[in-house]
């Protein structure tokens, strides 16, 4: 395994410079993202919550009794709580996250709110297979929960690969409950990633501050600007930082030149058609069994079983 510095240097040495989105989420970044989810323009969170509130009984009926809910992510969201409140005799709740601190803190909160629930947090990089804990009550089935359309932050092949890992974790009778953001009027998407208060810009730029503070970088943060553009053909938002002049920066001992107008790619956010997501799920061994949407059809939550 290469270390973080090698990985950063490798990404910034590509013809299209890039920084992995995982560097967004230091303390400040996590707070800024929290603020993003509260912006009126960021429709994703509101739409997904509305879907959960409206259709959770339906979801619980499909999931059935005594399932083990395996969440990809730390499980700190309101969506998770809505689900946990409605599931019938749940065998275990297994949040899986790479950040141990964050994971254990939110697991403690969940235990406090649901004293009868068996909570088994697993520290793991969920993009590769990991071992599941053995709960005291034998689960009838495993249901992988992946909210927030985080799947959209993976490029096509990596997304299929991740769905395959979930397919494996779900096991024979298992299922997947996943949040999937949908293609829509580009103006709506554009506003969600270019809010008027500049929170999104601050979030994107914070990645440079984070690298300066803890990864031996020396970015001149004021000499970069946030850019988010929706590529309608590819169905994805391209999130970048644009250099405002010819300049150099360094990661540890390695120096880089960046030209005026040149970009550093920080994230893709893919938006899907129902057919497009169904095809991807199918390639990973899943069949989409149910799709719930908000009334404006901005966002979807989908229940997939193993085909
Ligand atoms: N995962 C979020 C998304 O795709 C991340 C995000 C929201 C983001 N706004 C951003 C990333 C702005 C970079 C810049 O919706």
């Amino acid at each position: 395994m290469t270390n973080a510095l090698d990985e950063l240097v490798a990404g910034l040495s590509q013809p299209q410079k890039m920084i992995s989105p995982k560097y967004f989420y230091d303390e400040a970044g996590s707070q800024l993202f929290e603020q993003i989810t509260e912006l009126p323009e960021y429709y994703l969170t509101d739409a997904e919550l509305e879907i959960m509130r409206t259709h959770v009984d339906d979801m619980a009926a499909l999931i059935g009794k005594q399932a083990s809910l395996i969440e990809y992510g730390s499980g700190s969201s309101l969506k998770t709580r809505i689900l946990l409140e409605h599931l019938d005799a749940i065998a275990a709740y297994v949040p899986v996250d790479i950040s141990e601190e964050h994971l254990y803190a939110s697991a403690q909160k969940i235990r406090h709110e649901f004293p009868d629930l068996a909570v088994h947090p697993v520290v793991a990089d969920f993009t590769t297979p990991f071992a599941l804990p053995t709960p005291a009550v034998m689960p009838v089935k495993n249901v992988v929960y992946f909210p927030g359309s985080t799947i959209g932050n993976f490029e096509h092949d990596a997304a299929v690969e991740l769905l395959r890992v979930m397919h494996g974790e779900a096991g024979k009778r298992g299922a997947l409950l996943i949040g999937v953001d949908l293609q829509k009027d580009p103006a709506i998407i554009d506003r969600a990633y270019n809010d008027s208060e500049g929170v999104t810009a601050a979030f994107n730029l914070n990645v440079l501050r984070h690298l300066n503070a803890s990864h031996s970088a020396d970015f001149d943060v004021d000499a970069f600007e946030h850019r988010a553009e929706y590529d309608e053909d590819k169905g994805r938002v391209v999130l970048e930082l644009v250099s405002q002049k010819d300049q150099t920066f360094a990661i540890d001992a390695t120096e880089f030149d960046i030209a005026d107008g040149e970009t550093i790619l920080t994230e893709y956010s893919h938006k899907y058609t129902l057919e497009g997501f169904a095809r991807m799920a199918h390639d990973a061994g899943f069949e989409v069994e149910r799709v719930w949407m908000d009334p404006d059809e901005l966002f979807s939550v989908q229940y997939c079983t193993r085909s």
Side-chain angles (χ1 to χ4, degrees):
M1 226 175 104
T2 54
N3 67 34
L5 283 184
D6 292 343
E7 189 192 63
L8 282 164
V9 167
L12 290 162
S13 304
Q14 304 292 316
Q16 167 64 69
K17 293 180 170 62
M18 45 190 141
I19 297 173
S20 163
K22 69 182 171 205
Y23 296 104
F24 280 138
Y25 301 98
D26 65 346
E27 185 72 33
S30 300
Q31 272 175 27
L32 284 164
F33 186 67
E34 185 79 29
Q35 271 178 263
I36 287 178
T37 66
E38 287 159 13
L39 292 168
E41 294 99 327
Y42 197 73
Y43 62 85
L44 290 84
T45 315
D46 287 343
E48 190 173 19
L49 260 179
E50 179 175 8
I51 295 166
M52 296 308 289
R53 288 199 172 105
T54 311
H55 300 289
V56 68
D57 288 328
D58 246 21
M59 294 174 194
L62 279 170
I63 291 170
K65 265 198 185 29
Q66 213 178 301
S68 174
L69 189 73
I70 303 158
E71 178 163 354
Y72 278 43
S74 71
S76 50
S77 77
L78 190 48
K79 295 162 262 188
T80 303
R81 289 174 164 73
I82 294 173
L83 202 52
L84 289 175
E85 272 165 20
H86 288 81
L87 289 181
D88 195 1
I90 176 167
Y93 170 59
V94 182
V96 185
D97 200 275
I98 198 155
S99 154
E100 175 165 343
E101 209 184 357
H102 198 56
L103 178 69
Y104 288 162
S106 61
Q108 266 321 100
K109 278 194 204 150
I110 297 273
R111 283 195 184 103
H112 194 75
E113 287 171 50
F114 300 87
D116 298 329
L117 182 65
V119 183
H120 297 287
V122 173
V123 180
D125 172 357
F126 60 55
T127 60
T128 53
F130 53 90
L132 287 173
T134 316
V137 176
M138 187 63 186
V140 170
K141 65 169 110 159
N142 292 328
V143 176
V144 171
Y145 182 45
F146 195 38
S149 202
T150 303
I151 191 71
N153 298 133
F154 294 80
E155 289 190 70
H156 179 272
D157 292 357
V160 172
E161 197 44 51
L162 177 55
L163 291 170
R164 277 210 191 99
V165 174
M166 295 176 174
H167 185 267
E169 299 295 340
K172 273 216 178 68
R173 279 182 298 273
L176 165 68
L177 184 68
I178 183 168
V180 178
D181 197 16
L182 301 174
Q183 294 185 9
K184 59 184 67 67
D185 177 357
I188 296 175
I189 298 176
D190 197 73
R191 260 182 265 130
Y193 291 87
N194 291 288
D195 69 280
S196 53
E197 290 167 57
V199 181
T200 299
F203 174 71
N204 201 1
L205 285 160
N206 179 66
V207 78
L208 301 181
R209 275 196 193 92
H210 177 203
L211 295 184
N212 284 352
S214 51
H215 291 79
S216 323
D218 70 349
F219 289 102
D220 177 1
V221 180
D222 296 331
F224 287 87
E225 262 181 25
H226 160 74
R227 181 193 286 165
E229 267 173 359
Y230 182 53
D231 178 340
E232 220 181 329
D233 292 333
K234 293 207 168 83
R236 67 187 184 191
V237 182
V238 182
L239 294 143
E240 298 173 303
L241 295 164
V242 190
S243 179
Q244 299 303 295
K245 58 181 188 194
D246 293 339
Q247 53 180 326
T248 60
F249 61 84
I251 304 282
D252 203 26
T254 313
E255 283 215 352
F256 299 89
D257 294 315
I258 188 163
D260 188 6
E262 193 182 337
T263 65
I264 301 173
L265 176 67
T266 51
E267 187 158 81
Y268 290 121
S269 192
H270 292 78
K271 311 300 171 192
Y272 302 95
T273 60
L274 293 180
E275 302 73 40
F277 181 76
R279 218 177 304 126
M280 229 168 63
H282 182 81
D283 289 347
F286 283 115
E287 257 0 285
V288 177
E289 201 173 305
R290 279 292 289 278
V291 177
W292 300 275
M293 290 184 280
D294 55 295
D296 297 325
E297 303 192 351
L298 299 176
F299 198 92
S300 68
V301 177
Q302 311 203 14
Y303 187 77
C304 311
T305 47
R306 296 185 22 138
S307 42

